[in-house]
Amino acid sequence: MKTIHYFFLFAFLMFISPLLLPDYQITLLNYIGLNALVVLGLVLLTGVGGMTSFGQAALVGIGAYTTAYLTATDQLPNYLTLLGGSPWIALIVGIVITVIAALIVGGLTLKLSGHYLPLGTIAWGISLYYFFSTLEGLGGHSGISNIPSISIFGYALDHSNKMFYLIWLIVLLAIVLTKNLLNSREGRAIRALKGGQIMAESMGVNTFRSKLIVFIIASVFASISGWLYAHNQTFINPSPFSLQMGIDYLFMALLGGVGSVWGAILGSGIFTMMRQWLQDYLPMFLGNDGQYETIVFGLLIVALMQKAPMGLWPMIMKIIPKKIKPLDQHIQMKETDQKLTCQAMPNKGDIVLEAKNVTKKFGGLVANNDMSLQVHAGEILALIGPNGAGKSTMFNQLSGVDTPTSGEVIFKGEKINGQYSRKIAQQGMSRTFQHVKILAEMTVLENVAIGGHLRGHQGVFSSLLRLDRVEENILLNEAKLQLERVGLGEYLYAEAGSLALGQQRILEIARALCSDPCVLLLDEPAAGLRLKEKEALAALLLKLKAEGMAILLVEHDMDFVMNLVDRIVVMEFGQKIAEGLPEEIQKNEAVLEAYLGGAA
Ligand code: ADP
Ligand code: MG
């Protein structure tokens, strides 16, 4: 079976369950659905994007209070009367308020890193909660009651069995949208946030924008859940939107498997049911005094997390037999005649990239000292020197990953130091990293497609609605082409993390090529390669050079360098100690002394 068949099977089971199950179980399923919607947002935000949030409950509160206030207040202020009375208008108003709140809150907190981000989410989670409980129009601690039912074309959803369909329709829709987003150009950028931000920026991704996008989507999911909750309950007060509930949502996400969309459903399902059962049955054994269920519940959660630290969904996927696993685990690609446009290469011999007196200090350590070099179109320049000489630091200054303390970097006639690396990438510079920066859980193909980020233009909305498929197919075909070009054509759908280290380096070259660069910076591309692979790499680099590419590489393998490159710059202690043709460098006294040492 394919994933889509499973999806329809699930949808069908949900569709018939109100006909088969007793009312109280449908009520429970409603709660699971409401929670799942919030947790789905967390899967995107925390699982995929790597941003831990304790504050989602407060965003649920925004949706719930907006609709409660607008639909259940008798005397709305004049300027709001037009918006009052209809849950559907209230939904839209709620979403608008949520997006504005997410922009403000996200703008302030998403730039925080490490522990500060979760702390930030706790801070705004608590603030919003107090906001709900103290604002007079919102009913204080007693909240708002008499919230009307939602009607669809005059048909009132006034029973939990009827709300069930709306809730689960929205959950299923949210799953589809989320899946669509994740399998797109924007989605790859989002998936690169966790662990690959420097790389993503070097490939042209605006990582802050990607963070804001997932935050807004997660907030909107939470807000819609609040809207449904308010109309399902017909009354609300601040307590379900407290920090405690924010923590519960995070638990659900971790329990189900924070990295997978279906984990959201599973996590909220198990969490909600377990709590219900414990509340129902535990008092029979332990009596009514003392909140034993909270303690037992906490212990169970801890035990589950010990057994399945990645969550339950990945564990289930591991143990179910191959026969019933969905067949189409990876994206489908069609052949296409359409190609991405390429930038014109500079004329051979032109200076494409130039460092002028670049100095980089890390505190007292001068890692690059007054370094100057030029790379021409159609030339391979090697940067060599002993370990710690400052070569990688130089690469970072050239590619905008870092900014020189003084001096200039000129790319195609323009000063670029101080610019974001994504801006530099846009102008045609691409690089690989000495310590490979790949996304281990993504396929080889998707990793390379990140390199093509700037060559696609489809945004979030077209990704959500799958209007990006034509461009997406072209992008994936380009990634495939680059992989075949570097000799990794047979690994398209392998997990990138499963490749040998040498192959991962080659993958990075394919990713760099996918961005259609005119300058390629390769930091130790041949390390870990076997002889045959080195020969293939050398042949590829020569071909690129013949096409007019400017290539700067750092490499330790002297045979590889001497036979391949046109010129060499030698560094030691952050300084340039020699520059010239390979045969000159081989005879250079200073180089022999400092670098080749006793070997000559
Ligand atoms: P190479 O690539 O030539 O082996 P690097 O450029 O990695 O050398 O390092 C040059 C020197 O700068 C080393 O002494 C290294 O410890 C130091 N260095 C590199 N990056 C940093 C950093 N981010 N902070 C402090 N020191 C650094
Ligand atoms: Mg290095």
Side-chain angles (χ1 to χ4, degrees), residues 39 43 63 116 215 228 250 274 305 325-326 350 465 476 521 534 569 592:
V39 176
V43 163
Y116 295 104
F215 187 60
L228 288 165
L250 203 55
M274 237 165 60
M305 298 224 160
K325 260 195 191 158
D350 285 1
L465 303 173
L476 291 176
L521 306 187
K534 278 186 191 171
V569 169
L592 290 181

Side-chain angles (χ1 to χ4, degrees), residues 561-574:
V561 169
M562 294 300 170
N563 292 320
L564 175 72
V565 307
D566 300 296
R567 287 188 309 123
I568 299 178
V569 169
V570 190
M571 288 181 78
E572 193 193 18
F573 301 126

Side-chain angles (χ1 to χ4, degrees), residues 387 391-393 434 523-524 554:
N387 270 333
K391 306 175 297 290
S392 295
T393 305
Q434 179 180 355
D523 202 346
E524 306 201 13
V554 167

Side-chain angles (χ1 to χ4, degrees), residues 345-350 352 375-381 428-430 482 485 509 512-522 540-552 566:
M345 283 279 176
N347 295 323
K348 275 188 196 169
D350 285 1
V352 188
V375 196
H376 302 86
E379 173 191 51
I380 305 180
L381 177 70
M429 189 190 300
S430 204
Q482 298 301 348
R485 196 174 180 192
I509 296 177
L513 289 175
C514 198
S515 70
D516 182 33
C518 62
V519 177
L520 209 48
L521 306 187
L522 309 176
L540 172 71
L541 296 183
L542 286 173
K543 199 165 154 275
L544 291 170
K545 166 186 148 170
E547 289 168 15
M549 185 89 72
I551 301 172
L552 175 64
D566 300 296

Side-chain angles (χ1 to χ4, degrees), residues 73-88:
T73 307
D74 290 333
Q75 287 282 304
L76 281 175
N78 278 340
Y79 63 96
L80 287 176
T81 40
L82 267 181
L83 300 176
S86 159
W88 295 102

